[in-house]
Amino acid sequence: MRKGFTVLWILCAAIMAVSCGKTKSYTDMLNDEKKAINRLIDERGLEILSDFPKDSIFKENQYVKLKSGLYLNIIDKGTDQRAVLYSTKVYYRCNMHFFLDTDTVMGNYGPHSNGTNMFPIGYPSGFAESVPFTYGEGSSADSSSPSYMYVSDGLNEALQYVGDRGKVSLIVPFSIGTYYDQSQGNPIHYEILEYIFEENL
């Protein structure tokens, strides 16, 4: 009896250890993201619109939720020059807010940033190379590529609404985030993001 109880105890401990070591399921990541986005909306007092405001002029706390799940606030439409799909090379500078399991803001947006480095400060130094992304090209699954961590469908989608030097604020769900964010289940709040066309640097 005692031997059987010991074997049962070891088996239960092993099952618990295996189950605790499992990564989150996709459903768990979606649920965690939904809670985190709702918490961010409540804490920041954001107003979520179902349609674009008249003349696409947003109040500071207003975001429109697009069909893809992207939350968009246009801060400044920029110039009339629009990016050309699969042609225009774009740099960006931003302040990124990681709000799922942490409350960290990183970025390269500021008075001394000329936009020639699209990578937020604090990211791995191996990605410190200054490289623009091509409008329309998504994130790469190749972890050695800069677009693995810095280019997403969300960034591309928002660019269709503004021109060169356009500024937006975004909440990007992980499903349309970078390949890295998709793998981690990380939504990102871009508190401010400015697009800069390479040809106009």
Side-chain angles (χ1 to χ4, degrees), residues 23-24 29 148 174-175 177-186:
T23 56
K24 287 182 182 179
M29 291 193 296
Y148 175 76
F174 71 81
S175 60
T178 67
Y179 198 90
Y180 174 80
D181 293 329
Q182 291 174 36
S183 69
Q184 300 298 308
N186 283 332

Side-chain angles (χ1 to χ4, degrees), residues 44-97:
R44 301 275 176 117
L46 305 181
E47 179 185 357
I48 307 305
L49 309 172
S50 54
D51 296 307
F52 268 80
K54 190 176 180 181
D55 300 325
S56 299
I57 296 173
F58 289 77
K59 294 179 182 175
E60 186 177 340
N61 70 330
Q62 289 181 326
Y63 289 73
V64 64
K65 185 176 181 182
L66 305 176
K67 288 181 181 177
S68 66
L70 179 71
Y71 294 80
L72 168 69
N73 172 290
I74 298 174
I75 299 169
D76 185 331
K77 291 181 186 177
T79 71
D80 290 334
Q81 182 184 3
R82 297 296 170 138
V84 177
L85 200 61
Y86 306 118
S87 176
T88 304
K89 303 280 189 191
V90 183
Y91 290 92
Y92 70 82
R93 56 185 183 151
C94 66
N95 285 335
M96 301 167 63
H97 179 206

Side-chain angles (χ1 to χ4, degrees), residues 62-196:
Q62 289 181 326
Y63 289 73
V64 64
K65 185 176 181 182
L66 305 176
K67 288 181 181 177
S68 66
L70 179 71
Y71 294 80
L72 168 69
N73 172 290
I74 298 174
I75 299 169
D76 185 331
K77 291 181 186 177
T79 71
D80 290 334
Q81 182 184 3
R82 297 296 170 138
V84 177
L85 200 61
Y86 306 118
S87 176
T88 304
K89 303 280 189 191
V90 183
Y91 290 92
Y92 70 82
R93 56 185 183 151
C94 66
N95 285 335
M96 301 167 63
H97 179 206
F98 299 88
F99 62 93
L100 182 67
D101 296 321
T102 177
D103 193 24
T104 304
V105 176
M106 297 183 201
N108 63 357
Y109 189 87
H112 304 296
S113 172
N114 64 3
T116 57
N117 188 341
M118 73 179 211
F119 306 129
I121 296 164
Y123 269 69
S125 59
F127 289 95
E129 185 181 351
S130 181
V131 179
F133 72 94
T134 301
Y135 173 49
E137 292 181 3
S139 189
S140 171
D142 177 3
S143 62
S144 66
S145 168
S147 67
Y148 175 76
M149 292 184 77
Y150 304 108
V151 181
S152 71
D153 290 343
L155 294 183
N156 276 286
E157 182 177 1
L159 184 52
Q160 70 183 290
Y161 299 100
V162 298
D164 180 45
R165 302 287 171 167
K167 297 173 188 169
V168 297
S169 181
L170 308 171
I171 301 172
V172 181
F174 71 81
S175 60
I176 56 170
T178 67
Y179 198 90
Y180 174 80
D181 293 329
Q182 291 174 36
S183 69
Q184 300 298 308
N186 283 332
I188 304 293
H189 179 207
Y190 291 88
E191 296 182 337
I192 186 166
L193 184 147
E194 180 179 10
Y195 297 101
I196 302 165

